[in-house]
Amino acid sequence: MKLKFGRKVISVEEARSVLSEYVKLTETEIVPLSAAFNRRLAGDIYADHPVPHFRRSGVDGYAVCAADIEEASPDNPAILRVIEHIPSGTVPELTVYSGSASRIMTGAPVPDGADCVVMLEMTDALPLLDAGVSSTQVCIKKNVPMGSNITPIAGEIVAQELLLPQGSQIGPGEAAILATFGYSYVTVFRKPRVAIFSTGSELLNVEEALQPGRIRNSNSYMLAAQVEAAGGEAVIMQALSDNVEEVEIALLETLAKVDLVITSGGVSVGDYDVLVDLFGRFAGKLLFNKVAMRPGTPTSAAFWENRLLLSLSGNPGASFVGFELFAKPLIKAMSGSPSPCPEAMTAYLDVDYDKGSAFPRYVRGTTHVENGCLRVKPSGIDKSSIMVSIKDADCLIQLPAGGSGFARGERVLIYPIK
Ligand SMILES: Nc1nc2c(c(=O)[nH]1)N[C@H]1C(S)=C(S)[C@@H](COP(=O)(O)OP(=O)(O)OC[C@H]3O[C@@H](n4cnc5c(N)ncnc54)[C@H](O)[C@@H]3O)O[C@H]1N2
Ligand code: MOO
Ligand SMILES: [Mg+2]
């Protein structure tokens, strides 16, 4: 009665691959650099000048000719005449010649003629009265090799070098590069807009008082936080009842306005599992409706009105895991990530896990480091109906199907999620 169509189980990897065929990059937009953190670049960034673009002093001290101080030591200091003071941000006017030195600050351009900079701590300044003009000379007590404390032109970055490829996410290092090259505005991919619909007649709005048999809608807010963490813009929609017409109208009204629609609930075999009813009558294309995973086995997806619709199981744990496995890679791919799928690490199980499973499990896990090794344990009671432990999960532990469980100390794959 309920299933108007069958359910063919596919693997998590197959489901991801099916979804990836429908990913469209969002269009680009220009935003101030200060508003671009965590966004992804819509084009390659090349260096249009070398860094540094002048010979840069790395220390406060004296720019000199290395040949003049070859023999310098505390007992045999080289005495040089100071001809100029060079603060950072200025351009030296005089060329250093044999027998002379220029006082120079960290970050200032090294004057022509000088081929090393001696740190201030290795020198003593001496007053000098020369033909009635007050001047200084400097005593250099150490020899330093040619090139010391000078970053040559292009010592850090060569002109025309590829600095940041398209898709780079703007973190602290990228922000520093963009600022260095004068990008006060950057062209990035627009954040994918993701509409979130919870379904279920039992759901109350967050501000509503508890009622017998009814619960507050927590999934919409959990999923919205996940959307934002994945780089999307979450649009929390009014939760829907188990009425299929209502769900159909609401989704049809919304699909064209966003890049992705996520629903939670109503995908199992219950009498009121409304997404199942919808997929039995809608004009879209059902992509899958069963995934070899636990939790979230009934996770479904469709392509409808030119948009992806991802329907997650309603149980909070299943919604959370389904989002991490499927929605996060979609949002990342839409916003330009070249590697949207999570990458596995290995960790050692910190507890016995004595449940086998017909399908691979994705257990919410909490990691810690012990004697330099990464260890992991389930974040709490490992049931998809349990919500309270989600806050403690920093990874998903992937436990293969079959068997009767896993022993403490076994190596397992984990997918970091924070
Ligand atoms: N006979 C069977 N029953 C169930 C099966 C099955 O294979 N055979 N699968 C179980 C599994 S596994 C899961 S997961 C759930 C999937 O259920 P649905 O996706 O249909 O979700 P609902 O029935 O709507 O809700 C399940 C559960 O989650 C609560 N929920 C739903 N939405 C929210 C929300 N927005 N915020 C907080 N909590 C929510 C809902 O009240 C239910 O308790 O089916 C099992 N049953
Ligand atoms: O989706 Mo259910 O959470 O497989 O347990
Ligand atoms: Mg159900």
Side-chain angles (χ1 to χ4, degrees), residues 202 265-274 314:
E202 75 276 30
V267 289
S268 187
V269 294
D271 288 344
Y272 306 97
D273 280 339
V274 70

Side-chain angles (χ1 to χ4, degrees), residues 10-25:
I10 64 172
S11 69
V12 167
E13 294 71 26
E14 286 170 309
R16 277 206 193 116
S17 155
V18 170
L19 291 171
S20 70
E21 290 170 31
Y22 295 88
V23 166
K24 285 193 220 89
L25 276 172

